[in-house]
Amino acid sequence: MSDGPADLDALTARADERFAGAKTEHELRAERAEVLGKKGEISVALRDLGKAPPEMRRTLGERINAVKAKIEGAFEPRLAAIHANARRADL
């Protein structure tokens, strides 16, 4: 299983970059689906957790869930920023 701390840190960084690069709500939601959706990177990591050695599963699962929560937490502020930018553009 390749979801060690470095891979999860890289996933978080990629998600942050992808969210920051989204210019519209549609783009942002598409990026979120790529990372957090049913077939997203986090879901794959959680599914693959069963392949990890039993003694590592709990720690790895906690780490994956922490990364998921961090990424989910980054979504709403970025969505608010996109909406604010759209309102300013409409003025």
Side-chain angles (χ1 to χ4, degrees):
M1 169 151 204
S2 64
D3 290 305
D7 291 337
L8 292 172
D9 290 340
L11 173 59
T12 302
R14 280 194 313 273
D16 288 344
E17 289 173 14
R18 292 164 81 167
F19 284 5
K23 304 296 181 210
T24 67
E25 180 177 350
H26 178 75
E27 289 175 7
L28 181 63
R29 290 188 185 280
E31 294 298 345
R32 182 173 120 183
E34 288 288 322
V35 178
L36 298 172
K38 193 173 187 178
K39 295 182 181 180
E41 295 177 70
I42 291 288
S43 295
V44 170
L46 286 169
R47 248 188 321 273
D48 289 347
L49 193 56
K51 298 175 186 173
E55 64 275 4
M56 293 181 63
R57 288 182 190 156
R58 179 180 180 148
T59 303
L60 198 50
E62 289 172 353
R63 179 83 167 99
I64 293 168
N65 285 329
V67 167
K68 181 179 178 181
K70 183 175 181 182
I71 293 170
E72 287 173 338
F75 176 80
E76 287 300 326
R78 181 62 186 137
L79 181 60
I82 288 172
H83 286 165
N85 288 340
R87 281 192 299 275
R88 277 194 296 276
D90 286 343
L91 295 178

